[in-house]
Amino acid sequence: MTRPAALNLRFFAVALLAWLLTTYPCVPKVYNTLVMSNASKFLMSYVALGLLGPAFVWASSRRLTSDYSPLLLRGCLAGLLAGVALWSRSGELPGSAHLDAGRFVYSGLLAGVVTAEARRRAILFALPAALSSEDLRKQFVGAALIIWAVLLKFGECIVVGTTGSGAGLSSAIIGSHIFLVLSIAVWTPWAALRLWRHEPTGVIRSVVRSCVLGVIMPGLTAAVLLFPVFVVLHMGMPLAYSMLWGGVAFVPSASWWVRFEFILPGLVWGVSVGLLRWHYLRLQRAADSTDSRSAAL
């Protein structure tokens, strides 16, 4: 397989995974109320829309340019249309629970942003000029944040699977996700830069180090933010409690299953970021070698 083909295949895989993870919280309430034949049709539409959005972004950006603004606009447009289409599809099937559009639109927009970023990265790696070590560092920090945003969006399925529909619930879920992302934005750039500065000697060590940060840092952040969040709650913003999600795993009275549910995102983030750091390390060494040869000439 040629390098452009491999990059395109990786782009579609990442974009489809982002769509499935970010929009999955919209699915259980619809899926559980459908008979099997209608459920199959809904799931086919669900996966098809996850492919059409990235296909549109890819087809409209065949000319290799890393300018993010046009890609972001196309990604948001594709995600918005796909989210609305999925919402409309959920109401067409007999016996479905037609949910409000806000949850679908927000999920689609988030998937569109991730799709645009994945396409930009594929274009960057396909360009003839090799990325510098500084460019790779910025890409790594951005990827660490994006992985968290997608994982926390997927975590909504725990809430959506046990609650009904309604505009109020949709607004609460959207606002809760924003506060969740804010809680990890406090420390993730620092953690990513720390992982970047310490070059791992092996892939296992890279993954373990990332997993340790992914599990411990949400709890420490919850402890640090406890008083600020308490103040914000009394100011009339109840959704701010979402920023303390990382501390649930360390509550003594929590069951082992609850602890696992709140530790799992950090483990998945750690594995993803650890593997990505190992991959970027090889690219970084190649970039440093290129810079050294250029300086010698």
Side-chain angles (χ1 to χ4, degrees):
M1 183 181 294
T2 62
R3 179 174 174 80
L7 289 173
N8 287 331
L9 182 61
R10 185 184 304 172
F11 158 70
F12 275 101
V14 170
L16 178 60
L17 181 62
W19 165 262
L20 296 178
L21 290 180
T22 55
T23 56
Y24 177 76
C26 302
V27 173
K29 191 64 180 179
V30 177
Y31 183 81
N32 292 339
T33 56
L34 297 176
V35 297
M36 186 56 64
S37 59
N38 291 332
S40 300
K41 294 177 182 178
F42 180 79
L43 289 180
M44 289 178 61
S45 302
Y46 175 50
V47 176
L49 288 171
L51 291 173
L52 288 176
F56 168 76
V57 175
W58 175 80
S60 61
S61 59
R62 296 294 300 277
R63 295 181 60 185
L64 296 182
T65 172
S66 58
D67 188 2
Y68 189 50
S69 298
L71 286 174
L72 180 61
L73 179 61
R74 293 163 185 163
C76 289
L77 178 61
L80 176 65
L81 294 176
V84 172
L86 186 64
W87 169 70
S88 301
R89 181 63 175 159
S90 70
E92 293 176 359
L93 300 175
S96 67
H98 192 53
L99 303 179
D100 55 290
R103 191 183 304 166
F104 288 85
V105 171
Y106 180 73
S107 299
L109 284 175
L110 180 59
V113 171
V114 176
T115 298
E117 177 63 17
R119 180 57 180 160
R120 185 182 72 86
R121 289 168 182 262
I123 291 175
L124 282 174
F125 285 111
L127 291 173
L131 293 176
S132 66
S133 180
E134 179 65 16
D135 292 332
L136 290 172
R137 182 181 66 84
K138 293 178 180 178
Q139 300 294 327
F140 178 69
V141 174
L145 286 167
I146 290 174
I147 292 172
W148 263 128
V150 174
L151 285 175
L152 294 176
K153 188 68 175 63
F154 177 71
E156 288 178 13
C157 63
I158 300 174
V159 177
V160 178
T162 57
T163 54
S165 59
L169 176 63
S170 178
S171 301
I173 288 176
I174 293 173
S176 179
H177 179 256
I178 293 174
F179 278 109
L180 288 172
V181 174
L182 287 177
S183 71
I184 59 92
V186 172
W187 62 268
T188 298
W190 168 84
L193 290 174
R194 182 177 179 83
L195 292 171
W196 185 264
R197 287 193 297 267
H198 294 79
E199 296 185 357
T201 57
V203 63
I204 300 298
R205 181 166 295 184
S206 176
V207 170
V208 170
R209 184 176 296 166
S210 301
C211 286
V212 170
L213 288 173
V215 171
I216 293 178
M217 288 308 300
L220 292 178
T221 303
V224 172
L225 295 178
L226 184 60
F227 179 73
V229 169
F230 180 77
V231 174
V232 174
L233 287 173
H234 280 269
M235 292 173 61
M237 299 182 67
L239 294 178
Y241 77 92
S242 302
M243 299 184 72
L244 305 178
W245 70 275
V248 176
F250 301 95
V251 175
S253 59
S255 66
W256 68 269
W257 178 248
V258 171
R259 292 173 185 267
F260 177 74
E261 283 185 335
F262 283 88
I263 288 177
L264 183 59
L267 291 176
V268 176
W269 180 85
V271 172
S272 303
V273 171
L275 293 175
L276 192 64
R277 177 65 186 108
W278 180 251
H279 173 65
Y280 274 32
L281 177 61
R282 292 182 293 174
L283 296 177
Q284 181 185 6
R285 289 172 177 170
D288 292 340
S289 176
T290 302
D291 293 341
S292 299
R293 288 196 299 267
S294 300
L297 295 176

